[in-house]
Structure formats: C-alpha cells, structure tokens
Amino acid sequence: MEWKPVPKPVSKPKEKPRYKERKPKKRKKLETFKGRTIPPAKVRGSISKKEYEKVIEIYGHNCAYCFSSYIEMHHIRFRSQQGRGTYRNLIPLCKEHHGLAHRNRVFADQLRRERIQVYGEWYWADKFDLWKQNLIPNTTDKAFEDFMLKEGVKARETVRTNQD
C-alpha cells in the first residue's frame, strides 16, 4: 500500500472591485420647534470668531486668573451640559487653570457662580434655548440681547441687595 497525500485545496483570489460602493451617511434628524428648525448642539456649542473676539475684548489676551499669555477658551457651562459658545459662557484660561476647571468641581462651580452674578441664570444659553423656554418671542438677536441685558441688570441688583 502506497501513501498518497491529498493536495490542499487552493482558493482562487477574489476579484476586488475597482471602486468601493459607499453607503450614504445617515443624517441625524434636525430638531424642530414651532415649525422652525433649530441648529444641532455641536454647531451651537462651537465658538465663532465673533464670540471669541468679544471675549478677548472683555478679558484681553491673557488668562483671567494668572494673566498668562498662553490661553485656551473655556466653556463655563460645559458643552456636554448644553453650554453654548456665547461670550457670556466663555472665559480665557491658561492650560493650568483650564485643566483645573475640568478636574476641580469647586473651582468650576466658583466660575459658574461668578458668571451668574454678572449675567444671570441664563448666561450659558443662546437665543434658541430662550425661545424654546418661551422667554423671548422669537429668535432675533435683538430679542435675545434685550432679554440678556434685563437678566444681567436683575442679577447685579440681586447681588447688591444681598451685600447690604
């Protein structure tokens, strides 16, 4: 009896298509309120050049605490908690203080309390947030700024009466 090994099956190489069919990306459904489309949170939380320059105009090109010239823009109310990219919700901090604001809850809460004393409870919001809460009649910049100015005056009066 002679031993004859069976040859291994050889697989044929698969033909690769010249192009790969791409599946269309699934689009997230945009939020609508009272028949109007509201931009996604990612857009509303991002910092525009106009808002960035307004913060620089208020604080200068330095950290708000140690006056270091190397700054990072910090959202006082985090974007993950619906904080928006408005100048009222931003503060320039150096890398050290920015890290501290994310690691140390006491420091972060102090920043929030200071901001509430200056701009009121809605410092973190944008015009769409106020409109959805029925605090302003429409999403115009004028209605938003008028509301925020009134809130700021109210907040400063509250601080003044608490100090007396």
Side-chain angles (χ1 to χ4, degrees), residues 2-160:
E2 222 179 287
W3 185 69
K4 293 183 180 177
V6 178
K8 286 186 177 179
V10 179
S11 62
K12 294 179 182 177
K14 293 182 182 177
E15 289 185 31
K16 292 184 180 179
R18 291 183 186 222
Y19 65 93
K20 186 176 180 181
E21 286 187 41
R22 293 188 179 186
K23 295 178 184 175
K25 291 183 180 179
K26 290 184 181 178
R27 289 189 168 197
K28 291 183 181 179
K29 192 172 182 179
L30 294 175
E31 181 183 1
T32 58
F33 182 75
K34 293 184 181 178
R36 294 182 69 187
T37 303
I38 297 175
K42 186 174 184 176
V43 173
R44 294 166 62 200
S46 64
I47 304 169
S48 69
K49 187 173 182 177
K50 177 183 162 190
E51 297 292 336
Y52 185 90
E53 288 173 357
K54 181 101 176 182
V55 174
I56 295 300
E57 183 181 310
I58 294 169
Y59 291 97
H61 291 275
N62 301 322
C63 173
Y65 283 91
C66 68
F67 305 107
S68 170
S69 60
Y70 298 103
I71 60 169
E72 299 172 352
M73 214 45 82
H74 173 65
H75 286 78
I76 294 172
R77 181 166 175 174
F78 302 141
R79 288 180 290 175
S80 62
Q81 299 167 346
Q82 273 46 61
R84 307 301 179 205
T86 62
Y87 75 91
R88 292 175 181 93
N89 189 37
L90 299 171
I91 189 168
L93 298 174
C94 65
K95 188 175 181 93
E96 189 175 317
H97 283 108
H98 193 195
L100 183 66
H102 284 277
R103 286 190 313 272
N104 187 336
R105 176 99 185 209
V106 175
F107 183 67
D109 288 342
Q110 176 192 344
L111 290 174
R112 289 185 194 100
R113 280 191 303 275
E114 289 172 2
R115 202 43 61 108
I116 288 170
Q117 289 176 351
V118 176
Y119 295 115
E121 289 289 330
W122 292 93
Y123 71 91
W124 56 271
D126 66 358
K127 59 188 176 185
F128 297 104
D129 292 316
L130 298 179
W131 183 58
K132 283 170 57 179
Q133 295 296 319
N134 291 319
L135 296 172
I136 58 175
N138 53 35
T139 57
T140 62
D141 291 333
K142 183 176 178 359
F144 173 68
E145 287 302 323
D146 289 346
F147 176 84
M148 293 306 285
L149 288 173
K150 288 176 189 171
E151 283 293 302
V153 168
K154 213 184 313 180
R156 289 186 288 279
E157 286 175 0
T158 305
V159 169
R160 214 174 302 128

Side-chain angles (χ1 to χ4, degrees), residues 158-164:
T158 305
V159 169
R160 214 174 302 128
T161 56
N162 290 342
Q163 289 176 349
D164 294 340

